[in-house]
């Protein structure tokens, strides 16, 4: 099946630093989504991208849908303690009728 | 808006028993709901797609007779884990796709522990 390669697997940063993570796939995705999951909870949608080249912001978060439709990145600026969690990229490889394919996640840890 | 609830939030059961998990979209209608499973420190894996009024579609490797899915209304889907075994212990998360959109909203998950 479809696979998403997400990196890095984990990040240890200082509060206030910027964060960047990305996802790549071997095949074209029509939609890219970025979720955050806190321990013991379901994923919460952060940003949704629907068009190649699209750049979308949500507060301190910015994500882009790659031109090739095979990659996406998420940036977090000026990290704060509540940014700690696991970030997943996800997408629909087809027309959107299917369930989501998830990346393996990036575990963000912020050191005071 | 777009709130999805799951019940129960956690359940412990004995091996061999069946457990039912409910997924409800509270403030919107969803013709399609999805069930995912997440093992510790791993990503979410799609188990099945639940369509209102029709049979669920299961992903390869997921036993349909073990994981019974019913989507009886536009706001409720249930997952029943039949004859549960310790290896079924996992975090089960549902999502609901809002009618007319591609956006999936996730529930808070149900932690199943089978002793």
């Amino acid at each position: 099946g479809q696979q998403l390669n997400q990196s890095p697997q984990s990040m240890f940063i200082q509060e206030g630093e910027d964060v960047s993570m990305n996802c790549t796939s071997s095949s074209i995705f029509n939609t890219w989504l970025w979720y955050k999951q806190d321990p013991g909870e379901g994923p919460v949608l952060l940003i949704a991208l629907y068009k190649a080249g699209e750049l979308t912001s949500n507060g301190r978060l910015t994500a882009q849908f790659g031109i090739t439709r095979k990659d996406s990145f998420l940036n977090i600026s000026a990290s704060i303690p509540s940014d700690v969690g696991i970030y997943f990229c996800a997408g629909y490889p087809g027309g959107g009728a299917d369930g989501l394919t998830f990346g393996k996640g990036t575990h963000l840890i912020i050191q005071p | 808006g777009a709130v999805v609830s799951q019940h129960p939030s956690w359940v412990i059961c004995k091996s061999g028993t069946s457990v039912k998990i409910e997924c409800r979209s509270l403030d919107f209608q969803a013709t399609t709901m999805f069930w995912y499973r997440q093992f510790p420190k791993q990503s979410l894996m799609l188990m099945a797609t639940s369509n209102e009024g029709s049979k669920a579609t299961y992903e390869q490797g997921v036993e349909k007779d073990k994981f019974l899915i019913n989507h009886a209304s536009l706001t409720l889907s249930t997952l029943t884990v039949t004859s549960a075994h310790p290896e079924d212990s996992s975090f089960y998360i549902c999502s609901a796709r809002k009618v007319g959109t591609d956006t999936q909203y996730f529930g808070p998950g149900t932690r199943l522990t089978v002793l």
Side-chain angles (χ1 to χ4, degrees):
Chain A
Q2 305 287 347
Q3 287 190 337
L4 292 180
N5 299 308
Q6 185 172 350
S7 65
Q9 185 175 1
S10 60
M11 299 183 73
F12 296 81
I13 64 167
Q14 300 282 342
E15 183 178 349
E17 288 185 12
D18 297 341
V19 172
S20 184
M21 59 192 79
N22 69 84
C23 266
T24 60
S25 70
S26 57
S27 57
I28 289 174
F29 273 64
N30 292 321
T31 303
W32 284 94
L33 305 168
W34 285 92
Y35 289 88
K36 179 175 183 277
Q37 185 180 30
D38 291 327
E41 299 183 13
V44 173
L45 181 65
L46 299 174
I47 293 180
L49 303 162
Y50 300 104
K51 296 193 303 184
E54 181 180 352
L55 181 70
T56 298
S57 293
N58 178 7
R60 294 178 294 106
L61 279 61
T62 302
Q64 184 160 30
F65 192 146
I67 291 291
T68 64
R69 299 167 74 184
K70 293 183 179 182
D71 64 304
S72 176
F73 71 75
L74 173 70
N75 288 341
I76 305 173
S77 63
S79 60
I80 59 177
S82 61
D83 291 334
V84 166
I86 302 178
Y87 293 79
F88 291 99
C89 63
Y92 297 110
D98 305 326
L100 288 166
T101 297
F102 279 81
K104 293 189 182 298
T106 295
H107 191 180
L108 179 61
I109 299 166
I110 298 177
Q111 299 168 331
Chain B
V3 178
V4 176
S5 70
Q6 281 184 242
H7 178 79
S9 56
W10 60 269
V11 56
I12 301 172
C13 69
K14 292 182 178 179
S15 186
T17 61
S18 295
V19 174
K20 180 186 284 188
I21 302 170
E22 293 185 348
C23 176
R24 292 181 185 273
S25 55
L26 299 184
D27 52 1
F28 65 98
Q29 293 185 330
T31 51
T32 305
M33 291 183 172
F34 303 89
W35 287 95
Y36 296 82
R37 181 167 51 185
Q38 185 178 33
F39 291 108
K41 299 189 183 300
Q42 294 189 23
S43 188
L44 285 77
M45 296 296 292
L46 179 67
M47 297 176 65
T49 301
S50 169
N51 294 297
E52 187 264 338
S54 63
K55 291 184 179 180
T57 304
Y58 291 82
E59 294 299 299
Q60 192 172 9
V62 178
E63 300 175 56
K64 62 179 181 180
D65 293 331
K66 181 169 184 63
F67 298 99
L68 301 179
I69 291 172
N70 182 272
H71 193 158
S73 76
L74 289 173
T75 59
L76 174 64
S77 175
T78 61
L79 169 69
T80 301
V81 183
T82 63
S83 187
H85 291 285
E87 58 264 31
D88 297 325
S89 298
S90 188
F91 194 47
Y92 291 86
I93 308 172
C94 73
S95 71
R97 188 169 66 209
K98 195 171 185 178
V99 171
T101 75
D102 281 345
T103 304
Q104 288 186 32
Y105 298 92
F106 283 83
T110 296
R111 173 75 59 192
L112 170 63
T113 301
V114 184
L115 302 177

